[in-house]
C-alpha cells in the first residue's frame, strides 16, 4: 500500500511569489490534513479536508489556502510568500472523518520550501 | 498559547537504559494522545497512542503513561537502542479533530 506522497520534495521561491504543494493520501483515506513545521514553532496545524470540504482551519493568514479533489488528493497554496514561510510542509491522511474518535494520522515526507 | 508542551528539547541516554520523554497539556478536552517519531528528511511516524479512559498502553519496548489529573503523559522506551535516536513529538486531539503537537524532544541514544 503506497504511503502519503507529497510533491515537490524541495523548492525555492522568492518573496512575493506563490507556491502550490500537492498531496496524494493513502488509497482509501478521505481525510487530509496539512501542517507546517518550523524550528521555532514545531508542528502547526494549517487545515483539514474531508470529502472535498474544509473541516478545520488553523490560525494562519488568508494567504494560506487549500482544497481537496474528488479523488481525495489535496493541494495547498501560499500566495505572496514571505521569508517566514520557509518551512517543511507536511501532509497527513486518515481513514477516519474528523470528529469520529481516534485520529491516527499517517504523514508524508513533506515539501521543504525555502523563500529567499 | 501552547496547549501541548514538551519541556525538554533534548535527552541523551545510554544504550540499554530507559528513555523517558515527558509531555504536559492544558486543554482538559483532549481525549486522545499520540506519540510520533521523526527522522531527518522524513515525515513523523506514528508510534503509540492512548485514550483518556486508560492510564497505560504498552507496545513492545514502548509504553505510554497518562496522568489525567496532572495533565501529563510520558513515553518510556526500554531498552533504548541507537536506532531510537530521533525527534519525538507528543500530540493530542479533542474528539477526533485535528492534532495539537508539542515542540518535540530530540532523543540521542549512545552506543
Amino acid at each position: 500500500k503506497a504511503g502519503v506522497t507529497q510533491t515537490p520534495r524541495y523548492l525555492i521561491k522568492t518573496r512575493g511569489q506563490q507556491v502550490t504543494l500537492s498531496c496524494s493520501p493513502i488509497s482509501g483515506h478521505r481525510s487530509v490534513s496539512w501542517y507546517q513545521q518550523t524550528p521555532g514553532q514545531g508542528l502547526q496545524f494549517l487545515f483539514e479536508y474531508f470529502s472535498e470540504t474544509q473541516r478545520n482551519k488553523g490560525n494562519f493568514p488568508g494567504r494560506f489556502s487549500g482544497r481537496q479533489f474528488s479523488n481525495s488528493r489535496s493541494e495547498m497554496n501560499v500566495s505572496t510568500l514571505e521569508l517566514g514561510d520557509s518551512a517543511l510542509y507536511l501532509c497527513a491522511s486518515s481513514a477516519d472523518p474528523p470528529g469520529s474518535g481516534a485520529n491516527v494520522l499517517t504523514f508524508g515526507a513533506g515539501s521543504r520550501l525555502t523563500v529567499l | 498559547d501552547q496547549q501541548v508542551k514538551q519541556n525538554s528539547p533534548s535527552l541523551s541516554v545510554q544504550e540499554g537504559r530507559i528513555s523517558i520523554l515527558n509531555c504536559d497539556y492544558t486543554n482538559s478536552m483532549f481525549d486522545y494522545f499520540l506519540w510520533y517519531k521523526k527522522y531527518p528528511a522524513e515525515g513523523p511516524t506514528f508510534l503509540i497512542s492512548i485514550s483518556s479512559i486508560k492510564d497505560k498502553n504498552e507496545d513492545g519496548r514502548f509504553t505510554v503513561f497518562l496522568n489525567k489529573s496532572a495533565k501529563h503523559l510520558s513515553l518510556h522506551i526500554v531498552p533504548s537502542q541507537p536506532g531510537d535516536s530521533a525527534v519525538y513529538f507528543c500530540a493530542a486531539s479533542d474528539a477526533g479533530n485535528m492534532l495539537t503537537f508539542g515542540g518535540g524532544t530530540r532523543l540521542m541514544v549512545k552506543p
Side-chain angles (χ1 to χ4, degrees), chain B residues 4 10 22-23 39 46 72 107:
Chain B
V4 179
S10 64
N22 294 302
C23 180
Y39 294 116
F46 170 71
H72 177 85
L107 173 65

Side-chain angles (χ1 to χ4, degrees), chain A:
Chain A
K1 201 174 189 181
V4 178
T5 305
Q6 291 188 246
T7 57
R9 288 293 312 276
Y10 303 92
L11 66 165
I12 300 174
K13 294 285 187 178
T14 56
R15 277 181 300 175
Q17 287 187 310
Q18 66 98 27
V19 66
T20 299
L21 308 177
S22 179
C23 173
S24 293
I26 290 173
S27 177
H29 284 195
R30 292 192 292 158
S31 181
V32 174
S33 303
W34 289 88
Y35 287 80
Q36 180 197 63
Q37 186 188 12
T38 56
Q41 299 294 324
L43 278 116
Q44 304 271 298
F45 172 74
L46 280 156
F47 20 66
E48 179 177 29
Y49 289 87
F50 181 80
S51 292
E52 302 177 67
T53 302
Q54 187 179 92
R55 299 302 181 99
N56 286 299
K57 189 176 193 304
N59 189 23
F60 278 82
R63 299 185 297 107
F64 292 80
S65 63
R67 58 178 175 167
Q68 186 181 34
F69 303 95
S70 59
N71 62 358
S72 294
R73 193 176 69 83
S74 178
E75 289 181 348
M76 67 162 282
N77 184 278
V78 188
S79 62
T80 320
L81 283 166
E82 301 177 359
L83 295 178
D85 297 333
S86 294
L88 179 67
Y89 290 88
L90 291 159
C91 170
S93 74
S94 170
D96 302 308
S100 64
N103 190 8
V104 178
L105 301 182
T106 302
F107 283 87
S111 294
R112 177 149 319 264
L113 170 66
T114 302
V115 182
L116 302 176

Side-chain angles (χ1 to χ4, degrees), chain B residues 35-98:
Chain B
W35 285 93
Y36 281 82
K37 178 170 72 173
K38 188 179 185 301
Y39 294 116
E42 294 182 15
T45 303
F46 170 71
L47 203 53
I48 192 170
S49 63
I50 188 167
S51 163
S52 61
I53 62 172
K54 295 186 174 183
D55 54 19
K56 176 183 174 182
N57 188 26
E58 195 171 350
D59 183 2
R61 296 185 298 114
F62 303 91
T63 303
V64 55
F65 295 92
L66 175 62
N67 182 334
K68 285 191 296 293
S69 60
K71 293 192 176 66
H72 177 85
L73 67 154
S74 60
L75 174 68
H76 292 209
I77 307 173
V78 183
S80 300
Q81 300 173 354
D84 295 330
S85 297
V87 178
Y88 289 77
F89 292 94
C90 70
S93 77
D94 160 19
N97 289 303
M98 65 6 150

